[in-house]
Amino acid sequence: MALTGLFLCLFLVGHLLGNLQLIAIPGVEGKRAFNEYAHFMTTNPLVKILSYLTYISVLFHAIDGVLITIHNKKSRPVKYVYKNPHNNIPWYSRSMAVLGSLILIFIVLHMSHFWWKMKHSSIPMPVHKEFIAKPQMSPYGGIQDTLVSYYYTTKGDYVPADEVKVDYSNKKPEFYVNYQKYDENYKASGTEMKIGEGYKDLHSLVCAFFGQDKMKEAGIAANSNALVAVIIYVLSMMVLGFHLMHGFSSAFQSLGINHRKYNKLIKVVGKAFAIIVPTLFAIIPIVIYLTR
Amino acid sequence: MKLTLKVWRQKNSDDKGKIETYNVDNISEHMSFLEMMDVLNEQLIAEGKEPVAFDHDCREGICGMCSMFINGEPHGPGKGITTCQLHMRSFNDGDTIYIEPFRSRGFPVIKDLIVDRSAFDRIQQAGGYISINTSGNTIDANATPIPKDDADKAFDAATCIGCGACVATCKNSSAMLFISAKVSQLALLPQGKVEAKERVLAMVEQMDKEGFGNCSNTGACEVECPKGISLENIARLNREFLDASITSDK
């Protein structure tokens, strides 16, 4: 429990840092940064190993937790008629199994919201809209800036959106560039070649899920229950906070790391971790709901 | 003082048992809790009823014999005391007091408030000792230098009286604080280090056999322990156990 718990704490830090890109960088740059990060996370082989380690840790932590809880419940076959437990320990220390189960439910929901969609449904390729100056005559005279949509590909190139064909017939959508002049850039034969396969617009998916579609994200229907989603996510982060409030320092105790010199540090860091990490996680859907 | 007592009555280990309500009057606030129980029992005997069976011995807080789960806490309200050191001034006139036996699979009820705590004895017998030569060549304990800090920590652990309050209050009914005190007391001293690995493995194995639960580090035991045994000992037990599991020949 201790080892998997601490590993999952590390995972939380990584996951948080990645997700904070959703709100840390504004505009098109933020969208690009996050989508590039998402592409890296879904394709890098080292990340793949880490992700399997995380799945195993979650499963082991959950199954071991259930087995221990069952054993512990059996250890007191006849219950007390009158017990006064709030006298000596905080409620969250006594409720780790309940808090953990709620977190497991949240993980399933969370994965169905994003992980599943990212893997198994067709999400459009990221389109980034930007004003570029085109020497075009304005009806009012002079040069006018026009809004042009383009795809930003994993190869770091920009391809005008209307020159790309997206084939949704396969499970994994495939993207082709129709335009002859891109042949050289992509060093591929024929007039149609893949650009950034599996490169999906997770940023727009997240914004459509939590936001109210103020920005009209790329072809993804806005979530009509965005407020409910935000509330569920914020409550889940509170549950996570209380789970960590006990779990963080408890893991050290289980591993035998208890020393007068460092106990205070572990306690303080544990409490700070339990407050800061879930709070930052919870801020993300709130900010998206309010701004997107 | 007038009190309403809700006492667990159970004829024997096979009986299901239930809470009975008794009223006692003229209880002095200077009485210890056990003396109040004595008054109740005399009253029950006078009425021709079976007195309440409860454990007690030294009545000065050092033998670890008295138990009882009083108003939801082992050894009742108050910190660092056993039931015999609990005085009736901790209660108010007209109070209702729940009195139950310690509950755990490892502590089966024998009768009323008496539970069988011989599981602790068996855990001790599994490894809570040191093998020394007693054939007339005993080495003077003072001849072995021991750092003061270690000696103090070992002594603190050795103050455990094995009453079982840690098990009684633990939501998992875990006996880890008891075992950790017994393991620490010996593991901290040079005489105990010789058999440290076998000791911790054997005692933990016996603990699991007796049906106690697992520690989830809530810390309730430390709060309720009449001798203030620290959670530091549980961490030491975990360390000793991890070390022994990895490096011991067994």
Side-chain angles (χ1 to χ4, degrees):
Chain A
M1 291 304 274
L3 289 176
T4 48
L6 286 177
F7 177 75
L8 292 172
C9 284
L10 278 179
F11 158 76
L12 283 180
V13 174
H15 193 43
L16 176 65
L17 291 178
N19 286 7
L20 279 177
Q21 293 180 80
L22 279 166
I23 56 168
I25 317 165
V28 171
E29 271 312 299
K31 183 171 174 175
R32 203 178 77 192
F34 184 76
N35 279 332
E36 270 177 16
Y37 161 77
H39 180 75
F40 170 77
M41 294 303 279
T42 43
T43 51
N44 187 287
L46 275 177
V47 174
K48 195 123 233 165
I49 296 170
L50 268 182
S51 71
Y52 280 111
L53 259 178
T54 311
Y55 302 147
I56 292 167
S57 292
V58 170
L59 284 178
F60 185 87
H61 198 77
I63 293 168
D64 199 26
V66 168
L67 291 179
I68 288 175
T69 307
I70 291 171
H71 179 253
N72 288 348
K73 293 269 174 230
K74 277 189 187 159
S75 297
R76 181 165 290 141
V78 184
K79 304 274 174 274
Y80 289 109
V81 176
Y82 183 98
K83 201 161 190 283
N84 204 3
H86 56 267
N87 226 341
N88 44 34
I89 34 170
W91 68 271
Y92 52 80
S93 289
R94 279 181 278 118
S95 319
M96 289 300 275
V98 176
L99 294 170
S101 307
L102 289 173
I103 293 170
L104 189 65
I105 295 170
F106 168 73
I107 291 173
V108 172
L109 278 177
H110 180 51
M111 287 181 82
S112 75
H113 291 155
F114 301 114
W115 178 84
W116 181 259
K117 283 185 193 162
M118 189 73 178
K119 287 234 152 160
H120 297 285
S121 69
S122 354
I123 301 168
M125 183 112 170
V127 177
H128 303 91
K129 286 178 179 153
E130 202 172 83
F131 278 107
I132 54 165
K134 263 191 175 178
Q136 203 173 52
M137 286 304 290
S138 160
Y140 311 104
I143 292 171
Q144 189 191 27
D145 287 349
T146 48
L147 183 67
V148 171
S149 299
Y150 60 85
Y151 283 113
Y152 180 76
T153 76
T154 47
K155 291 178 183 169
D157 293 298
Y158 298 88
V159 182
D162 48 8
E163 286 160 8
V164 169
K165 199 181 103 192
V166 185
D167 180 10
Y168 288 109
S169 58
N170 291 327
K171 215 173 186 183
K172 259 189 180 172
E174 287 179 347
F175 303 90
Y176 302 95
V177 178
N178 291 325
Y179 200 57
Q180 196 72 37
K181 74 177 181 190
Y182 287 96
D183 268 13
E184 279 170 41
N185 295 343
Y186 290 94
K187 290 189 174 65
S189 59
T191 51
E192 294 190 340
M193 79 284 298
K194 277 182 210 178
I195 50 163
E197 192 190 316
Y199 186 51
K200 297 180 180 180
D201 195 358
L202 184 61
H203 185 274
S204 295
L205 178 69
V206 175
C207 290
F209 184 76
F210 289 123
Q212 297 156 301
D213 202 24
K214 287 176 197 150
M215 314 280 278
K216 298 271 176 265
E217 303 294 343
I220 297 171
N223 183 2
S224 53
N225 295 319
L227 185 62
V228 178
V230 172
I231 290 171
I232 289 175
Y233 272 66
V234 170
L235 286 179
S236 298
M237 286 307 104
M238 284 171 73
V239 170
L240 177 66
F242 282 115
H243 195 73
L244 288 170
M245 196 71 94
H246 174 81
F248 190 93
S249 51
S250 173
F252 285 90
Q253 169 80 0
S254 289
L255 293 173
I257 302 167
N258 178 317
H259 192 284
R260 281 167 204 191
K261 253 191 206 167
Y262 308 109
N263 279 352
K264 206 164 184 189
L265 181 75
I266 294 172
K267 274 253 152 71
V268 169
V269 171
K271 296 260 187 280
F273 190 91
I275 294 167
I276 293 170
V277 171
T279 305
L280 287 175
F281 268 121
I283 283 174
I284 297 170
I286 294 174
V287 168
I288 293 176
Y289 180 76
L290 294 178
T291 59
R292 289 277 171 174
Chain B
M1 256 176 146
K2 236 183 176 164
L3 297 167
T4 307
L5 304 175
K6 303 254 184 194
V7 186
W8 184 263
R9 299 304 307 261
Q10 185 173 340
K11 272 202 189 94
N12 51 49
S13 52
D14 297 327
D15 185 23
K16 239 187 123 205
K18 63 172 194 297
I19 291 274
E20 293 270 3
T21 308
Y22 303 106
N23 292 306
V24 284
D25 205 350
N26 292 325
I27 299 295
S28 157
E29 60 183 17
H30 304 301
M31 279 180 182
S32 78
F33 199 83
L34 296 185
E35 283 166 338
M36 186 277 294
M37 292 301 288
D38 292 337
V39 170
L40 167 68
N41 276 347
E42 293 203 2
Q43 185 182 311
L44 288 175
I45 291 165
E47 289 169 9
K49 291 178 186 162
E50 179 87 9
V52 179
F54 62 91
D55 266 328
H56 61 103
D57 193 3
C58 75
R59 298 208 177 200
E60 54 185 11
I62 54 168
C63 75
M65 200 59 202
C66 55
S67 52
M68 297 196 210
F69 204 73
I70 302 158
N71 273 354
E73 283 178 87
H75 300 300
K79 301 277 169 267
I81 52 166
T82 53
T83 300
C84 59
Q85 294 169 301
L86 174 66
H87 286 81
M88 296 317 292
R89 52 181 167 269
S90 302
F91 300 92
N92 299 314
D93 188 31
D95 274 4
T96 300
I97 306 174
Y98 280 83
I99 309 167
E100 295 174 76
F102 284 180
R103 296 278 188 210
S104 166
R105 194 146 65 106
F107 290 166
V109 174
I110 298 172
K111 188 179 180 176
D112 296 338
L113 303 172
I114 298 180
V115 295
D116 179 3
R117 282 172 284 180
S118 58
F120 273 14
D121 299 336
R122 289 188 291 275
I123 292 169
Q124 274 289 62
Q125 285 153 10
Y129 52 80
I130 54 171
S131 311
I132 52 162
N133 189 352
T134 52
S135 60
N137 303 320
T138 317
I139 303 160
D140 179 19
N142 290 326
T144 313
I146 297 166
K148 174 81 167 76
D149 198 36
D150 287 355
D152 286 350
K153 280 184 191 163
F155 189 82
D156 285 346
T159 56
C160 167
I161 52 177
C163 65
C166 45
V167 174
T169 194
C170 177
K171 74 182 257 292
N172 311 322
S173 104
S174 165
M176 287 276 278
L177 193 68
F178 167 75
I179 287 112
S180 74
K182 299 305 169 194
V183 163
S184 291
Q185 166 195 343
L186 299 172
L188 281 161
L189 301 175
Q191 294 92 332
K193 283 208 169 94
V194 184
E195 295 157 302
K197 284 181 188 175
E198 298 94 89
R199 176 184 306 115
V200 68
L201 293 178
M203 289 181 83
V204 168
E205 192 189 342
Q206 189 62 36
M207 167 183 87
D208 289 338
K209 267 189 212 159
E210 298 292 350
F212 295 109
N214 300 295
C215 178
S216 62
N217 304 325
T218 66
C221 52
E222 186 185 38
V223 177
E224 295 297 346
C225 176
K227 297 297 157 187
I229 304 293
S230 159
L231 285 184
E232 206 185 313
N233 293 300
I234 295 187
R236 186 176 296 105
L237 170 66
N238 289 338
R239 267 199 312 272
E240 292 274 326
F241 183 77
L242 274 175
D243 178 27
S245 309
I246 295 165
T247 61
S248 164
D249 293 336
K250 282 191 178 173

